[in-house]
Amino acid sequence: MRLSLLPAFIATLIASASAVSCGSGQTGETAQKASGPYDFPDTLRVVTLYSPASYFIYRGQEMGYDYELVTAMAVDKGLTLKVDIAPSLSRAVEMLDSGKVDLIAYEVPITAEYKEKVVACGPENITTQVLVQPKRGEEELITDVTDLVGKDVYVEAESKYEARMNNLNQELGGGIRIHPVNRDTMITEDLIAMVSEGKIPLTVVDSDIAHINKTYYNDLDITMPLSFEQRSGWAVAPDKKWLGDSINAWLNTDVHRSEQARLLKRYFELSKNEPGNGFVSTAGRVSPFDDLFKKYAGQYDWDWKLLASQAYVESKFDSTAVSWAGARGLMQIMPRTAKGYGQTAKSVMKNDIAVETSLKLLRDLDKQLASRVPDPDERKKFVIASYNSGLAHVLDAIALADKYGLDPQKWDNNVAKAILWKSNPRYYKDPVVRFGYSRGRETFDYVNRVYAYYAKSKVHG
């Protein structure tokens, strides 16, 4: 598979990734004429797509497995990297065919449909459709497709998952209760969350998406395959096989296989839940850092208990915490954000610097949102949401709310609803959206958790 929770499978994956060949031929049609099979153009023009695995923006920072891997290659080879985002895979293939880009750094299926258009290279991904079910004792887990008879399975309507379940139901002679869910309002990530919450019993998703979501919901089992394997990989144009050879040669070294393993672990294994062991607020005390929060919050006209509530949700008051995305310290500040405020990834591990830097960020977010959300109390929820996801995604949600008849100046039941849509391709590809995919459920839950702790702090503090 593209990924596995077992190191042995990851080792197998990395070995297979470097074995994908783009052929040994080469042509002179390059940005800079190639003199050998392992050359690169001075500028590598790459196209990818917004997705939870390949490319997205998180807290103002570009991230994604494919994006980080191709960036690592460009840095190592001293290339200038130019990245475009395509609205669809078909458009990405058109850009490759027309010579506008050199490489698709995204999962292009290795099928007859694409065989004449592209040549596969780089990391090979192997996925299957899998059953998502709650973790139970081994005797209760569904481990055979025949066990699905008599069970309720919820899938996106008119999706490949519904088609697969209908085919499987026919093969078994019927009996699976298949529930198609409207894709406009409910998508794969929502259905996975609903299984974790016990709202539905079962759903079906691709294994890579299942692995990403399992890092948020460790109470799920995703080990039951329901389909044949599907291979995919990066792609170059047929007349640039030499470039594919160069990419494979770069990946086929111990150092770069280790880099790939690190990224696989980062995106598909490391828990995305907040670090720390927690703190129980008591009478007169909200956190272990009350004095620190009071000292700095007063200087920036911010409620210190609200700040403490954010710190709890960010790090559980663990000042040594480092998240899967690289956010650091008590206030989980991203390295790029730290740099923007004259700090370093190391300095924001110091509590006083972390607190003051976070307040500067909150102040600036508040200023940038003031014209869009005039009410200062209401605006705080928008500010806190922006702290979590980045301002760009909140602005997108405001635009979506305005377009689809919600109140763009209210968070609860309005822009909060629109932020959830940022995980849905129908909405993150909408013309009013400028910054693509975001895990909206994370931001939605983040604001709710901050305000839940804030309510407790006002009682106990």
Side-chain angles (χ1 to χ4, degrees), residues 32 38-45 69-82 250 256:
Q32 182 177 9
Y38 305 135
D39 288 324
F40 286 87
D42 289 340
T43 298
L44 185 64
R45 301 167 302 166
L69 188 59
V70 76
T71 298
M73 183 177 70
V75 170
D76 184 67
K77 303 301 292 186
L79 311 177
T80 298
L81 187 66
K82 184 178 183 298
W250 178 84
H256 302 130

Side-chain angles (χ1 to χ4, degrees), residues 289 292-293 296-297 300 307 310-311 314-315 318-321 327-334 337-338 341 343-362 387:
F289 305 103
L292 190 64
F293 293 135
Y296 286 101
Y300 290 87
L307 183 65
Q310 265 194 279
E314 287 287 349
S315 68
D318 180 359
S319 58
T320 68
R328 293 169 175 268
L330 183 65
M331 300 305 298
Q332 289 290 278
I333 296 168
M334 294 289 282
T337 302
Y341 287 97
Q343 300 297 332
T344 65
K346 184 177 180 180
S347 68
V348 293
M349 298 295 284
K350 297 178 180 178
N351 293 335
D352 57 342
I353 293 176
V355 170
E356 185 164 24
T357 301
S358 68
L359 283 162
K360 289 177 179 178
L361 174 58
L362 291 166
Y387 190 100

Side-chain angles (χ1 to χ4, degrees), residues 101-153:
V101 298
D102 305 306
L103 171 69
I104 301 176
Y106 183 78
E107 300 78 23
V108 181
I110 302 174
T111 61
E113 178 185 357
Y114 292 100
K115 188 175 181 181
E116 300 301 319
K117 302 175 182 178
V118 304
V119 178
C121 63
E124 180 181 90
N125 311 317
I126 302 176
T127 60
T128 62
Q129 293 182 34
V130 297
L131 184 71
V132 179
Q133 58 183 321
K135 276 185 179 178
R136 305 184 183 95
E138 288 187 14
E139 68 283 354
E140 298 180 62
L141 278 177
I142 296 173
T143 57
D144 190 280
V145 292
T146 58
D147 295 333
L148 289 171
V149 175
K151 300 294 193 301
D152 294 281
V153 182

Side-chain angles (χ1 to χ4, degrees), residues 251-300:
L251 194 58
N252 193 25
T253 65
D254 289 343
V255 170
H256 302 130
R257 281 196 294 265
S258 295
E259 174 65 10
Q260 186 188 11
R262 182 188 71 81
L263 292 174
L264 285 168
K265 185 171 184 176
R266 180 181 198 181
Y267 286 99
F268 302 105
E269 287 191 63
L270 290 179
S271 173
K272 307 301 190 297
N273 294 319
E274 295 87 359
N277 298 317
F279 176 84
V280 179
S281 58
T282 57
R285 191 165 178 79
V286 173
S287 78
F289 305 103
D290 285 2
D291 292 342
L292 190 64
F293 293 135
K294 291 175 183 178
K295 174 183 176 181
Y296 286 101
Q299 298 175 22
Y300 290 87

Side-chain angles (χ1 to χ4, degrees), residues 86-252:
S88 65
L89 182 54
S90 60
R91 177 55 184 153
V93 173
E94 289 175 6
M95 294 171 70
L96 190 71
D97 182 60
S98 66
K100 291 182 178 180
V101 298
D102 305 306
L103 171 69
I104 301 176
Y106 183 78
E107 300 78 23
V108 181
I110 302 174
T111 61
E113 178 185 357
Y114 292 100
K115 188 175 181 181
E116 300 301 319
K117 302 175 182 178
V118 304
V119 178
C121 63
E124 180 181 90
N125 311 317
I126 302 176
T127 60
T128 62
Q129 293 182 34
V130 297
L131 184 71
V132 179
Q133 58 183 321
K135 276 185 179 178
R136 305 184 183 95
E138 288 187 14
E139 68 283 354
E140 298 180 62
L141 278 177
I142 296 173
T143 57
D144 190 280
V145 292
T146 58
D147 295 333
L148 289 171
V149 175
K151 300 294 193 301
D152 294 281
V153 182
Y154 291 75
V155 292
E156 293 180 60
E158 301 178 359
S159 67
K160 62 183 178 181
Y161 310 124
E162 182 183 7
R164 176 56 188 147
M165 290 309 299
N166 285 333
N167 290 337
L168 186 59
N169 198 34
Q170 291 179 4
E171 293 168 13
L172 295 174
I176 303 176
R177 296 191 290 267
I178 303 168
H179 302 270
V181 178
N182 188 335
R183 299 175 73 182
D184 289 344
T185 57
M186 199 75 67
I187 60 168
T188 298
E189 290 181 355
D190 299 316
L191 295 176
I192 294 171
M194 290 174 74
V195 174
S196 175
E197 295 163 359
K199 295 179 179 177
I200 62 173
L202 304 166
T203 191
V204 180
V205 303
D206 285 330
S207 55
D208 54 350
I209 300 301
H211 277 275
I212 289 174
N213 280 273
K214 185 172 167 53
T215 65
Y216 292 93
Y217 308 112
N218 196 42
D219 55 353
L220 299 178
D221 181 273
I222 56 173
T223 58
M224 174 67 188
L226 295 176
S227 70
F228 293 112
E229 294 178 343
Q230 170 65 62
R231 296 169 60 227
S232 62
W234 292 356
V236 295
D239 64 350
K240 289 190 177 178
K241 291 180 180 179
W242 63 270
L243 177 57
D245 286 338
S246 299
I247 292 169
N248 290 338
W250 178 84
L251 194 58
N252 193 25

Side-chain angles (χ1 to χ4, degrees), residues 403-419:
K403 179 173 180 177
Y404 291 97
L406 301 174
D407 188 338
Q409 296 183 2
K410 299 290 185 183
W411 180 259
D412 292 332
N413 300 313
N414 288 278
V415 178
K417 183 181 294 185
I419 201 77

